[in-house]
C-alpha cells in the first residue's frame, strides 16, 4: 500500500559496478567508505556522525565501538541497515520524494546509529573473528522487531526537529483502526495481515516503546537490555524482562498501549470535529484498496493509480458510476506517482543494472491515451516525480545525481532530451513538481534542514522563489489552483488539504478529514478540489468545492496532534542543526577492495546458504565476507552420520567482475557397491575418500520492464576428483581413481509478471532452462546428459488463483544413464523406480481463507491455501496419457514463535499413486519452506 520511506534491516548481497572508485575516511568512531563521486557528502556526514554518537547512545549507556559505514549512492532507493556478520552499516544516500521535513542523511544517520548502539549493548562482547553471527542470532532471537525499530524511531524524533513520531501520516493506519473499532490482537498488529491494514512494527514499536519511557523513565530501555544481555539464553527473554520491570508481558503491554492511544485519538477526533466527505467509488468494504492521485478527465471520469492487495498497481479510469477500466500496469516505483495532461500520462519506475544489483536507475515512462501507446522515455537516468506541462509537450522532473546534487530538469515529452536544468538553491531537496496553467512556472516542495517550504521556479528566468517561511510540516504534492497553490500539510494535527494565496500570502485549511486528506488536484472547469480521503480500507476519492475564501486561516488553527514523544523531551535532546557547525575536512584516501577481501567474522553451525531448508548443511564453519559483497570464504567441517564419515571443505567466491567466480574444495567419504560376478548375491560394499575441486562461473542478469521481471543467465562448472583409500584393494584396477574435468553448462531465461500481495504465483510467466553435462577429457568414463525445463504460469479462475504447467525433458547415456536432472512426479521416491525421459506437471493453487489466527505464542496463521495436481511421466506416443500421481495439497502461511521473519509456508500433499503394484496407493508428504 501507499507508504512512506522506512529504514529496513533486511539486506542483500548484490554487488557494486566495477567502475565505482571507493574512498574512505577514518574518524575516532567510524570508517566511512564511499564512492569518490560522494566526496562532499561523505565529508559532511563524517562530521555529523562524530557529533551524533555522543547523543545517540546516552539512554542505553553504551558507546558503540568503531564501525564501518558504507555510503551507497548507486541506487535510487532511500534506505539503510545495520548488520553483523560482517559488522557494518549501509546508508542509501538518495533522498526520497516523500519524507519528513529535514535533511535525509541527518535523519537516516541518527536512526541507524541507534541500531549500532543496540547491537553493541546486547551483544557487543561477541566480536570478530569468531562470534559476530552468534551476536546477530542472539539479537534477532532476543529483541522483537517492534522494540528495536520503535526505539530507533523515538531516537530520531527526539534528537531532530522532525522524525516520524511527529508525522500524523505515519501513525494514521494505527489511529484509523483504533478510532474505527478495529482493535486487533498483538500478533496481528505486530506481524501484519494479508486481509487488513495493520500499523506495522515500526509504528507499533514507536508507541509501545515510547510508553515504556513515559511510564518508567528513559532508563527502562537500559535496564531491559542490560538484564537480557546478562543471560541471553533465558527463555522468552524480552517478555520475561519486560514483565519483571513493568508487571506486564508483551501482549498485555500492547493492550495497555492500545487502550491509551484509543482514548487520546478519540479525544483528538472530537476536538477536530471532522467532516465526512462523500466517498467515490462506492463499494462494499473488503480487502484494502486505494485510488491514488485522482484527476478529472471530464464527462464524470477520473484517472487514478489503483493499488490493492489483490492486484498489482495500475493506472485506471473510473466512470461516473465507479466502473473501472485499466489503462496500463505500472512497474516498481520508489514512491507511487503519476501525472496527467493533454491526453498523456507520465510516471517514473525503477530499473536496475542487469548484472550489478546495487546500481539502479529511475526512468520516465509516457503513455498516450489517444493512441494507446507506451514508450520508455529515458534510460539509465535518475529522474523522479515527472509532471507534464498543460499542453503535454514538456516534462519537468527532479534529478538527483550520484553526488546528491539536486535540480529540476525540463525534458521534451517526445524524446526525453534535456531542454534546461535548474539547480536547486543551496541544494535543497525538491519534491513532486507541478506546472501552472500557463506552463511557465513550476511549484515543488522544498526540504531544507530549517524545515519545509514551497519553492516556485520561473522557467523563463530560471529563478526560484521561496513562497513560505520554514515550516515544521510535511508539505506534499503542491498544485496550482489559479493564483493559489493547494497542498497537503498537517497544521491541525491531521493531514489535510490547504491553499496558499500568492496575493495575500495567507494559507487556509480546505478540508477537515477524520483520518487524513492527501494528493490534491484542481478541476478548474468545475471549480473543485479532488483529493484522497483515507479510510480504514485504503485511500478513497473525495472532492470539495473551490472557493478563494474557503476555510480557516492557519493562524486560527489549533494543532491537535497527540505528540506522544513530548513527555520524553528534555534539554539534552536539543540537537543542533548540521548547518550551525563548521564542517571539518577529514583526510580521505582510496579504499582498496583487493586488500580487504579477507574478513573472517564468525564461526557458524551452518554454511550460511539459507535459500531453502534443503541447502542447510549443519557442521562447523568459519566465515569470511568483505564489506562490499565482493568476496566470500568458507572453511568447514561436517560429519555425515548416515555413512559415519567426516567431510572437510574450503570455498572462495569472487563476485566483482561481470561473471561471478567460485572455487570449492572438499575432502569427503563415499560409499558404494560393486558387482564382482553375474551372481545377484555377489554385491560388495565399498568405502573410499575423495578430494573434489570444483570451479564455477556464473553470469546472472536481471532487469525490469513495466509489470514484468526478466532474469537470464549462463552458468558453467567443472571439477577434478581424486579418490583414495578404497576399502577393497583387490578392486583397485577396476576403480576409477581420477575424474578429469567433467563440464556442466546451463542457460536460462525467465519472464514473469509482478505478483500482488495476495497472488500465490505470477499471473503470467514463461521460464526456460537448458542444461548439458559431459566428460570431454575422460578416457575411462563417458556419458552425456541434456535436460530441458519449462514452467508456464497462467491466471486461475478467480483473483489470486494460479495455474502452473511444467514440461521437462532429459536424455542421458553412459554414466548419466540413471541420473535425473528434471523435476519428478510427486511422491517419486515412494514409487517403483523406472527411467524418466520427461515429466508433465499440472498444478492449480488457490487461497482458502485469511484467518489471522494466533495459536498462543507458537504460531500466527495468515493464510490457508489449497491446490490440486496431476503429474504425468514419460509422455509419448504409445503410452497411455494418464497421470502417474495426482492429489490435493493443503498449506498455510504463518509466523512461528512471534518472529517477524522468516515467513513460513508449511503444508502437506495427499498423493494417489495411479499405477498397479504400488507399495502404497495413498500416502502423504510434508514440506516446510520459508522466505524473507
Amino acid at each position: 500500500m501507499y507508504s512512506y520511506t522506512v529504514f529496513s534491516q533486511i539486506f542483500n548481497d548484490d554487488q557494486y559496478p566495477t567502475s565505482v572508485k571507493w574512498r574512505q575516511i577514518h574518524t575516532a568512531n567510524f570508517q566511512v567508505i564511499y564512492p569518490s563521486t560522494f566526496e562532499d557528502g561523505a565529508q559532511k556526514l563524517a562530521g555529523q556522525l562524530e557529533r551524533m554518537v555522543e547523543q545517540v547512545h546516552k539512554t542505553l549507556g553504551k558507546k558503540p565501538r568503531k564501525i564501518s559505514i558504507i555510503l551507497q549512492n548507486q541506487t535510487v532507493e532511500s534506505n539503510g541497515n545495520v548488520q553483523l556478520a560482517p559488522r557494518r552499516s549501509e546508508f542509501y544516500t538518495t533522498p526520497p520524494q516523500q519524507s519528513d521535513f529535514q535533511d535525509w542523511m541527518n535523519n537516516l544517520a541518527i536512526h541507524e546509529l541507534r541500531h549500532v548502539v543496540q547491537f553493541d549493548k546486547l551483544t557487543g562482547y561477541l566480536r570478530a573473528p569468531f562470534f559476530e553471527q552468534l551476536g546477530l542470532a542472539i539479537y534477532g532471537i532476543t529483541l522483537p522487531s517492534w522494540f528495536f525499530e520503535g526505539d530507533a524511531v523515538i531516537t530520531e524524533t527526539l534528537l531532530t526537529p522532525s522524525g516520524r513520531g511527529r508525522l500524523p501520516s505515519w501513525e494514521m493506519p494505527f489511529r484509523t483502526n483504533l478510532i474505527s473499532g478495529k482493535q486487533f490482537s498483538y500478533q496481528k498488529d505486530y506481524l501484519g495481515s494479508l486481509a487488513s491494514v495493520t500499523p506495522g512494527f515500526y509504528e507499533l514499536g514507536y508507541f509501545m516503546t515510547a510508553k515504556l519511557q513515559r511510564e518508567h523513565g528513559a532508563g527502562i530501555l537500559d535496564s531491559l537490555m542490560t538484564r537480557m544481555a546478562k543471560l541471553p539464553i533465558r527463555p522468552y527473554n524480552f517478555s520475561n524482562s519486560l514483565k519483571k520491570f513493568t508487571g506486564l508481558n508483551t501482549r498485555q503491554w500492547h493492550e495497555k498501549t492500545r487502550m491509551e492511544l484509543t482514548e487520546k485519538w478519540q479525544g483528538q477526533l472530537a476536538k477536530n470535529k471532522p467532516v465526512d466527505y462523500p466517498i467515490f467509488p462506492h463499494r462494499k468494504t473488503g480487502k484494502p484498496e486505494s485510488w491514488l492521485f485522482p484527476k478529472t478527465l471530464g464527462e464524470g471520469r477520473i484517472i487514478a493509480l489503483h493499488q490493492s492487495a489483490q492486484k498489482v498497481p495500475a493506472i485506471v479510469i473510473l466512470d461516473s458510476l465507479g466502473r473501472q477500466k485499466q489503462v496500463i500496469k505500472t512497474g516498481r516505483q520508489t514512491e507511487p506517482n503519476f501525472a496527467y495532461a493533454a491526453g498523456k500520462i507520465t510516471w517514473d519506475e525503477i530499473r536496475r543494472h542487469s548484472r550489478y544489483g546495487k546500481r539502479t536507475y529511475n526512468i520516465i515512462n509516457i503513455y498516450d491515451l489517444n493512441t494507446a501507446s507506451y514508450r520508455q522515455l529515458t534510460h539509465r537516468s535518475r529522474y523522479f516525480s515527472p509532471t507534464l506541462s498543460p499542453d503535454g509537450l514538456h516534462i519537468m522532473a527532479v534529478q538527483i545525481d550520484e553526488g546528491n546534487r539536486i535540480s529540476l530538469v525540463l525534458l521534451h515529452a517526445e524524446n526525453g532530451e534535456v531542454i534546461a536544468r535548474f539547480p536547486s538553491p543551496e541544494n535543497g531537496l525538491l519534491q513532486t513538481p507541478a506546472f501552472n496553467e500557463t506552463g511557465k512556472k513550476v511549484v515543488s516542495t522544498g526540504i531544507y534542514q530549517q524545515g519545509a517550504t514551497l519553492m516556485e521556479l520561473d522557467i523563463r528566468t530560471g529563478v526560484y522563489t521561496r513562497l513560505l517561511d520554514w515550516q515544521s510540516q510535511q508539505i506534499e504534492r503542491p498544485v496550482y489552483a489559479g493564483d493559489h497553490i493547494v497542498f497537503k500539510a498537517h497544521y491541525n494535527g491531521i493531514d489535510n488539504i490547504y491553499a496558499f494565496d500568492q496575493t495575500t500570502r495567507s494559507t487556509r485549511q480546505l478540508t477537515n478529514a477524520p483520518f487524513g486528506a492527501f494528493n490534491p488536484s484542481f478541476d478548474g472547469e468545475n471549480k473543485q478540489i479532488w483529493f484522497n480521503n483515507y479510510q480504514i480500507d485504503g485511500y478513497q476519492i473525495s472532492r470539495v468545492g473551490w472557493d478563494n475564501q474557503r476555510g480557516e486561516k492557519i493562524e486560527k488553527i489549533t494543532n491537535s496532534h497527540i505528540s506522544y514523544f513530548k513527555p520524553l523531551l528534555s534539554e539534552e535532546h536539543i540537537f543542533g542543526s548540521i548547518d550551525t557547525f563548521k564542517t571539518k575536512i577529514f583526510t580521505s584516501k582510496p579504499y582498496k577492495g583487493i586488500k580487504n577481501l579477507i574478513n573472517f567474522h564468525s564461526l557458524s553451525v551452518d554454511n550460511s546458504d539459507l535459500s531453502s531448508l534443503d541447502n542447510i548443511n549443519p557442521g562447523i564453519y568459519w566465515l569470511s565476507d568483505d564489506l562490499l559483497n565482493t568476496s566470500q570464504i568458507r572453511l568447514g567441517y561436517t560429519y555425515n552420520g548416515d555413512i559415519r564419515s567426516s567431510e572437510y571443505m574450503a570455498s572462495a567466491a569472487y563476485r566483482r567482475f561481470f561473471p561471478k567466480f567460485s572455487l570449492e574444495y572438499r575432502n569427503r567419504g563415499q560409499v558404494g557397491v560393486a558387482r564382482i560376478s553375474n551372481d545377484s548375491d555377489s554385491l560388495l560394499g565399498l568405502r573410499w575418500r575423495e578430494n573434489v575441486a570444483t570451479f564455477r562461473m556464473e553470469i546472472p542478469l536481471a532487469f525490469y520492464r513495466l509489470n514484468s521481471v526478466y532474469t537470464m543467465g549462463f552458468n558453467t562448472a567443472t571439477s577434478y576428483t581424486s579418490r583414495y583409500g578404497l576399502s577393497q584393494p583387490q578392486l583397485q584396477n577396476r576403480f576409477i581413481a581420477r575424474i578429469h574435468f567433467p563440464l556442466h553448462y546451463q542457460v536460462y531465461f525467465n519472464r514473469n509478471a509482478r505478483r500482488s500481495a495476495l497472488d500465490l504465483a505470477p499471473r503470467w510467466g514463461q521460464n526456460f532452462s537448458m542444461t548439458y553435462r559431459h566428460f570431454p577429457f575422460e578416457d575411462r568414463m563417458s556419458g552425456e546428459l541434456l535436460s530441458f525445463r519449462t514452467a508456464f504460469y497462467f491466471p486461475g479462475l478467480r483473483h489470486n488463483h494460479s495455474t502452473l504447467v511444467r514440461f521437462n525433458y532429459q536424455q542421458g547415456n553412459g554414466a548419466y544413464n540413471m541420473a535425473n536432472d528434471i523435476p519428478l512426479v510427486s511422491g517419486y521416491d515412494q514409487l517403483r523406480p523406472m527411467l524418466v525421459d520427461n515429466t508433465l506437471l499440472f498444478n492449480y493453487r488457490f487461497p482458502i481463507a485469511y484467518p489471522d489466527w494466533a495459536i498462543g505464542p507458537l504460531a500466527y496463521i495468515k493464510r490457508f491455501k489449497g491446490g490440486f495436481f496431476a503429474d504425468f511421466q514419460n509422455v509419448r506416443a504409445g503410452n497411455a496419457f494418464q497421470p502417474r500421481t495426482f492429489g490435493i495439497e493443503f498449506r498455510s502461511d504463518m509466523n512461528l514463535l512471534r518472529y517477524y521473519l522468516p515467513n513460513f509456508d508449511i503444508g502437506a500433499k495427499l498423493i494417489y499413486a495411479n499405477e498397479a503394484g504400488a507399495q502404497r496407493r495413498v500416502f502423504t508428504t510434508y514440506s516446510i519452506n520459508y522466505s524473507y
Side-chain angles (χ1 to χ4, degrees):
M1 298 300 292
Y2 188 48
S3 63
Y4 296 98
T5 300
V6 298
F7 307 134
S8 170
Q9 295 308 309
I10 300 301
F11 26 82
N12 61 50
D13 64 349
D14 284 331
Q15 284 75 56
Y16 302 86
T18 56
S19 59
V20 176
K21 306 302 180 186
W22 294 93
R23 298 188 66 81
Q24 60 181 323
I25 293 172
H26 279 275
T27 70
N29 297 289
F30 303 96
Q31 177 193 25
V32 182
I33 303 171
Y34 57 94
S36 59
T37 54
F38 202 72
E39 179 71 35
D40 292 344
Q43 290 284 349
K44 182 178 179 180
L45 180 65
Q48 286 178 254
L49 292 170
E50 285 298 322
R51 294 190 291 271
M52 290 173 180
V53 70
E54 297 299 328
Q55 289 278 350
V56 170
H57 81 268
K58 279 187 177 180
T59 55
L60 287 181
K62 178 69 175 182
K63 185 175 181 179
R65 54 195 174 88
K66 191 169 185 176
I67 188 171
S68 298
I69 308 285
I70 300 167
L71 305 186
Q72 161 57 303
N73 74 340
Q74 299 296 301
T75 182
V76 297
E77 295 168 285
S78 310
N79 216 324
N81 63 66
V82 179
Q83 70 173 95
L84 298 179
R87 186 174 184 267
R88 63 183 175 185
S89 180
E90 196 169 23
F91 292 7
Y92 289 56
T93 61
T94 304
Q97 286 291 288
Q98 291 172 279
S99 62
D100 58 11
F101 39 94
Q102 67 171 318
D103 177 80
W104 160 248
M105 292 298 291
N106 186 61
N107 195 20
L108 175 64
I110 289 177
H111 185 99
E112 299 304 334
L113 280 185
R114 185 62 170 190
H115 287 314
V116 175
V117 176
Q118 293 166 350
F119 271 114
D120 280 8
K121 177 69 176 180
L122 192 64
T123 63
Y125 58 93
L126 298 170
R127 304 184 180 187
F130 298 116
F131 299 118
E132 281 191 358
Q133 192 178 80
L134 177 60
L136 180 63
I138 291 175
Y139 184 88
I141 292 171
T142 301
L143 288 184
S145 301
W146 66 256
F147 177 80
F148 62 74
E149 292 296 359
D151 174 47
V153 172
I154 291 171
T155 304
E156 77 183 50
T157 304
L158 294 178
L159 295 184
T160 72
S162 183
R164 283 170 286 182
R166 302 174 191 261
L167 305 183
S169 60
W170 189 70
E171 68 185 32
M172 182 177 63
F174 199 13
R175 169 166 38 88
T176 303
N177 283 355
L178 295 186
I179 292 175
S180 304
K182 295 288 186 179
Q183 300 197 357
F184 298 138
S185 68
Y186 165 64
Q187 288 95 324
K188 186 167 182 174
D189 272 345
Y190 172 30
L191 301 173
S193 170
L194 294 171
S196 307
V197 177
T198 58
F201 61 82
Y202 280 80
E203 295 88 338
L204 178 69
Y206 164 73
F207 287 107
M208 290 180 66
T209 309
K211 185 172 179 62
L212 276 172
Q213 298 182 67
R214 283 164 61 107
E215 294 196 2
H216 298 276
I220 184 65
L221 304 184
D222 189 5
S223 299
L224 274 170
M225 296 190 71
T226 297
R227 183 175 188 267
M228 288 186 286
K230 287 181 178 178
L231 188 61
I233 61 173
R234 181 187 293 112
Y236 299 101
N237 201 353
F238 180 83
S239 188
N240 184 291
S241 298
L242 180 67
K243 190 163 187 176
K244 176 176 177 60
F245 291 109
T246 68
L248 303 175
N249 60 27
T250 50
R251 181 180 55 80
Q252 294 165 333
W253 191 256
H254 165 263
E255 174 68 18
K256 186 176 182 180
T257 304
R258 191 180 64 185
M259 290 175 62
E260 181 190 15
L261 291 175
T262 301
E263 181 181 351
K264 285 182 176 294
W265 281 330
Q266 285 176 342
Q268 180 190 24
L269 186 71
K271 184 177 181 180
N272 285 339
K273 299 178 181 179
V275 177
D276 288 325
Y277 300 98
I279 297 295
F280 179 81
H282 305 290
R283 67 188 186 95
K284 296 180 180 179
T285 300
K287 293 182 175 62
E289 195 167 12
S290 296
W291 289 266
L292 299 172
F293 318 114
K295 299 170 180 63
T296 181
L297 297 179
E299 300 177 350
R301 297 179 304 153
I302 296 293
I303 189 169
L305 176 61
H306 179 248
Q307 290 187 336
S308 76
Q310 288 187 316
K311 298 180 179 180
V312 297
I315 297 172
V316 301
I317 294 176
L318 298 163
D319 66 15
S320 59
L321 300 178
R323 291 174 299 198
Q324 181 169 302
K325 177 184 177 182
Q326 179 178 292
V327 177
I328 189 170
K329 294 177 181 177
T330 60
R332 286 184 57 205
Q333 295 185 285
T334 55
E335 286 93 15
N337 75 83
F338 84 98
Y340 167 82
K344 297 177 182 177
I345 304 167
T346 187
W347 70 101
D348 59 13
E349 285 183 2
I350 296 174
R351 297 290 187 265
R352 57 159 283 166
H353 190 284
S354 59
R355 163 64 180 87
Y356 298 104
K358 289 289 190 182
R359 173 172 283 173
T360 58
Y361 308 97
N362 223 49
I363 57 88
I364 296 177
N365 293 319
I366 194 164
Y367 184 91
D368 192 318
L369 284 174
N370 297 319
T371 61
S373 60
Y374 153 83
R375 284 182 296 123
Q376 181 176 322
L377 202 59
T378 68
H379 299 79
R380 298 192 175 188
S381 57
R382 294 171 62 95
Y383 297 143
F384 301 83
S385 301
T387 188
L388 281 158
S389 60
D391 57 11
L393 298 179
H394 301 105
I395 291 174
M396 188 71 79
V398 178
Q399 182 184 43
I400 306 175
D401 69 14
E402 292 181 2
N404 270 15
R405 289 176 289 271
I406 297 164
S407 305
L408 288 182
V409 178
L410 186 65
L411 308 169
H412 278 292
E414 182 62 29
N415 54 28
E417 290 184 359
V418 175
I419 300 172
R421 181 174 285 106
F422 307 95
S424 171
E426 301 178 25
N427 204 44
L429 173 60
L430 302 178
Q431 298 175 329
T432 60
F435 283 94
N436 71 352
E437 60 185 8
T438 68
K440 296 178 180 178
K441 291 186 177 182
V442 169
V443 67
S444 61
T445 301
I447 305 295
Y448 290 77
Q449 190 59 27
Q450 300 97 315
T453 187
L454 293 176
M455 299 293 292
E456 185 176 61
L457 168 68
D458 189 321
I459 298 174
R460 296 164 296 182
T461 64
V463 174
Y464 285 90
T465 302
R466 179 161 61 91
L467 302 180
L468 297 177
D469 292 334
W470 302 118
Q471 305 287 304
S472 295
Q473 293 286 313
Q474 189 180 38
I475 295 175
E476 291 182 341
R477 303 283 173 183
V479 295
Y480 286 94
D483 58 356
H484 287 66
I485 295 173
V486 179
F487 59 95
K488 191 278 294 183
H490 55 87
Y491 291 102
N492 78 327
I494 297 292
D495 294 283
N496 272 294
I497 308 302
Y498 294 83
F500 171 72
D501 188 331
Q502 296 191 80
T503 302
T504 65
R505 318 299 290 180
S506 62
T507 302
R508 294 177 178 270
Q509 181 177 340
L510 298 183
T511 66
N512 188 15
F515 309 119
F518 302 82
N519 308 321
S521 67
F522 177 59
D523 178 3
E525 181 178 348
N526 298 300
K527 301 299 181 182
Q528 293 177 332
I529 300 293
W530 292 85
F531 64 95
N532 279 126
N533 189 356
Y534 186 79
Q535 302 293 302
I536 195 168
D537 50 3
Y539 292 82
Q540 311 302 306
I541 300 174
S542 293
R543 60 182 171 177
V544 294
W546 170 246
D547 179 351
N548 288 353
Q549 302 302 314
R550 181 189 182 94
E552 195 82 29
K553 289 187 175 181
I554 60 172
E555 290 80 8
K556 298 181 179 180
I557 294 173
T558 302
N559 185 354
S560 65
H561 190 244
I562 67 170
S563 299
Y564 203 65
F565 63 91
K566 276 193 174 179
L568 309 180
L569 281 173
S570 64
E571 290 188 5
E572 66 179 16
H573 288 131
I574 299 174
F575 194 78
S577 166
I578 58 171
D579 295 330
T580 64
F581 296 97
K582 183 178 180 180
T583 301
K584 177 182 177 181
I585 302 301
F586 295 88
T587 301
S588 70
K589 60 182 181 180
Y591 179 82
K592 300 295 185 181
I594 197 71
K595 294 181 178 180
N596 297 277
L597 291 181
I598 300 176
N599 179 35
F600 282 101
H601 53 77
S602 303
L603 290 176
S604 177
V605 295
D606 63 64
N607 56 358
S608 295
D609 185 354
L610 303 179
S611 56
S612 78
L613 291 174
D614 295 336
N615 294 332
I616 297 177
N617 187 17
I620 183 70
Y621 298 86
W622 197 16
L623 313 180
S624 169
D625 297 87
D626 78 321
L627 297 179
L628 299 180
N629 296 340
T630 300
S631 67
Q632 184 182 85
I633 298 173
R634 300 290 184 261
L635 305 176
Y637 167 83
T638 61
Y639 182 78
N640 189 333
D642 293 335
I643 64 173
R644 293 175 295 170
S645 178
S646 297
E647 179 175 327
Y648 309 89
M649 64 84 65
S651 68
Y654 190 65
R655 301 172 293 191
R656 181 171 184 263
F657 299 118
F658 202 83
K660 296 181 179 181
F661 299 102
S662 64
L663 183 63
E664 180 183 83
Y665 165 78
R666 290 184 181 272
N667 178 277
R668 63 193 179 192
Q670 294 281 45
V671 297
V673 295
R675 185 186 299 275
I676 57 178
S677 71
N678 291 330
D679 188 346
S680 61
D681 295 329
S682 61
L683 296 179
L684 187 64
L686 300 178
R687 300 179 67 91
W688 70 91
R689 294 195 68 81
E690 62 185 22
N691 296 301
V692 182
T694 304
F695 174 78
R696 296 183 179 87
M697 184 192 75
E698 306 172 47
I699 304 177
L701 305 175
F703 56 94
Y704 315 129
R705 185 180 185 273
L706 288 177
N707 187 50
S708 296
V709 178
Y710 297 81
T711 58
M712 62 186 69
F714 172 76
N715 303 329
T716 186
T718 188
S719 62
Y720 177 82
T721 303
S722 172
R723 295 167 169 171
Y724 66 95
L726 183 64
S727 61
Q728 301 294 332
Q730 69 274 21
L731 300 179
Q732 188 68 50
N733 62 332
R734 297 169 55 185
F735 187 63
I736 300 177
R738 303 281 189 275
I739 302 177
H740 299 89
F741 307 111
L743 289 176
H744 163 215
Y745 320 90
Q746 180 193 23
V747 60
Y748 60 92
F749 173 85
N750 307 311
R751 175 185 180 272
N752 294 290
R754 286 179 67 198
R755 294 167 57 177
S756 73
L758 299 184
D759 281 340
L760 298 183
R763 284 178 56 81
W764 298 98
Q766 304 83 38
N767 301 268
F768 306 90
S769 174
M770 181 179 293
T771 302
Y772 178 65
R773 306 173 190 270
H774 66 139
F775 296 93
F777 307 108
E778 266 296 333
D779 295 328
R780 301 186 63 184
M781 292 185 70
S782 64
E784 298 175 308
L785 177 61
L786 175 68
S787 62
F788 182 63
R789 305 181 181 198
T790 66
F792 300 95
Y793 291 98
F794 303 95
L797 300 176
R798 300 188 63 183
H799 286 309
N800 313 123
H801 290 214
S802 171
T803 302
L804 172 61
V805 180
R806 292 180 290 170
F807 178 75
N808 312 284
Y809 170 84
Q810 65 181 9
Q811 185 65 50
N813 56 49
Y816 292 117
N817 188 51
M818 300 295 292
N820 288 316
D821 200 29
I822 60 175
L824 303 174
V825 299
S826 299
Y828 178 82
D829 58 341
Q830 303 289 323
L831 305 175
R832 175 171 49 88
M834 63 172 60
L835 290 175
V836 179
D837 293 335
N838 64 72
T839 57
L840 178 61
L841 314 175
F842 294 92
N843 192 298
Y844 186 90
R845 293 177 177 172
F846 52 89
I848 298 173
Y850 304 90
D852 295 334
W853 286 348
I855 306 175
L858 300 179
Y860 171 68
I861 301 175
K862 293 180 179 177
R863 174 168 57 189
F864 290 120
K865 52 194 178 182
F868 308 97
F869 63 91
D871 297 344
F872 297 76
Q873 181 176 301
N874 295 340
V875 178
R876 65 169 74 93
N879 286 2
F881 187 72
Q882 62 182 23
R884 192 177 186 196
T885 62
F886 59 87
I888 60 175
E889 64 176 330
F890 181 79
R891 309 192 65 82
S892 61
D893 295 312
M894 66 180 69
N895 299 87
L896 299 180
L897 300 176
R898 292 181 178 168
Y899 289 116
Y900 189 79
L901 292 174
N903 297 304
F904 285 92
D905 173 13
I906 301 176
K909 275 186 174 182
L910 183 64
I911 302 172
Y912 179 81
N914 186 34
E915 63 182 14
Q919 294 182 357
R920 292 187 296 167
R921 278 298 183 106
V922 179
F923 54 93
T924 305
T925 62
Y926 303 90
S927 64
I928 300 177
N929 303 311
Y930 63 91
S931 61
Y932 287 90

